[in-house]
Amino acid sequence: MRVHWNVRRNEIPRQVDPIQKRERIALAVIEIMASRGIEEVSLRDVAAEAGCSMGMVQHYFSTKDDMLAFASGYLADRILHKVSAEIAEASGIGTARAALRITMLHLLPLDEERRREARVWLAFLARATVRPELTPVMREARVVAHDFFLERVRAAIAAGELQPSRDGNADARSLHAFADGMVGLVITGVYSADEAEAAIDHQ
């Protein structure tokens, strides 16, 4: 199921719990970043995008970087959830290697939704290099992604699709870094979607 980006359709109901309110604000941050850039994110604009008051935004996030840190973690969790769901839906794929392929391809900006997510993620990454408040969140997202790859590599080893002597951690790092590095190359047009997919298959 595709996630709808536009959050202006309804205001936040009063009965929505705090977690849902924070997630609604995070979606507003992501939408503004995807359409206008991270420099356009302000408490006022986020409140307008989320359909709530500035007071509500400030209640949950005291600073812009607090808000960005939560939104970056929310985006990472959402992407991981979608990859997991895609693998689960493809129950007939049959092999652990095929699950690895799905994982790597899903991380690449090969359609409009993933291009928007990639632009937002790269903006978060760039800001984390100069704003240490974001660094722990970005690091944690990378650790979770590594573990996700490692789980699939170990499944391939257990299924006999990779040699038992393989170093699962090294393979997981290599595959994760390869997919991660391809994001910038695809989004800037160095590689086309077909070329990126062929590169993943070759890897």
Side-chain angles (χ1 to χ4, degrees):
M1 182 178 67
R2 293 293 181 185
V3 176
H4 296 288
W5 287 78
N6 193 347
V7 297
R8 283 198 179 113
R9 291 170 296 174
N10 302 293
E11 292 188 355
I12 298 177
R14 290 184 179 181
Q15 68 270 22
V16 175
D17 66 41
I19 293 176
Q20 290 176 302
K21 290 178 181 178
R22 287 163 65 90
E23 291 178 350
R24 188 70 175 267
I25 292 169
L27 279 171
V29 171
I30 292 167
E31 171 61 26
I32 292 171
M33 289 177 63
S35 58
R36 290 183 270 161
I38 195 170
E39 66 278 359
E40 295 298 320
V41 174
S42 68
L43 295 178
R44 184 181 303 278
D45 287 346
V46 169
E49 186 70 37
C52 66
S53 67
M54 279 188 63
M56 179 178 291
V57 176
Q58 291 172 315
H59 174 74
Y60 292 107
F61 304 104
S62 57
T63 68
K64 177 177 176 176
D65 280 314
D66 286 343
M67 189 166 59
L68 290 173
F70 180 83
S72 64
Y74 175 80
L75 178 60
D77 288 345
R78 192 175 73 174
I79 292 171
L80 188 62
H81 175 77
K82 288 193 291 184
V83 174
S84 299
E86 188 173 344
I87 291 173
E89 288 173 9
S91 56
I93 58 177
T95 67
R97 289 170 68 95
L100 270 169
R101 183 180 189 273
I102 287 175
T103 301
M104 295 179 76
L105 286 176
H106 193 96
L107 297 180
L108 301 187
L110 302 182
D111 58 34
E112 182 55 29
E113 181 179 349
R114 283 179 286 175
R115 280 192 292 272
R116 289 166 69 85
E117 288 176 339
R119 288 199 298 271
V120 173
W121 185 256
L122 290 173
F124 280 135
L125 183 61
R127 190 172 179 87
T129 64
V130 295
R131 302 292 293 189
E133 299 91 335
L134 287 176
T135 302
V137 180
M138 304 300 288
R139 185 188 303 115
E140 176 62 22
R142 289 295 199 272
V143 170
V144 171
H146 168 80
D147 290 345
F148 193 81
F149 273 91
L150 179 58
E151 181 181 349
R152 263 125 211 96
V153 170
R154 285 176 171 168
I157 293 173
E161 298 168 29
L162 291 173
Q163 293 295 322
S165 59
R166 299 289 304 191
D167 183 335
N169 266 301
D171 284 336
R173 281 193 292 268
S174 296
L175 293 171
H176 181 203
F178 185 86
D180 204 39
M182 287 290 290
V183 173
L185 294 170
V186 174
I187 207 166
T188 55
V190 176
Y191 295 144
S192 68
D194 288 343
E195 289 171 329
E197 186 168 351
I200 293 293
D201 288 336
H202 178 76
Q203 184 72 6

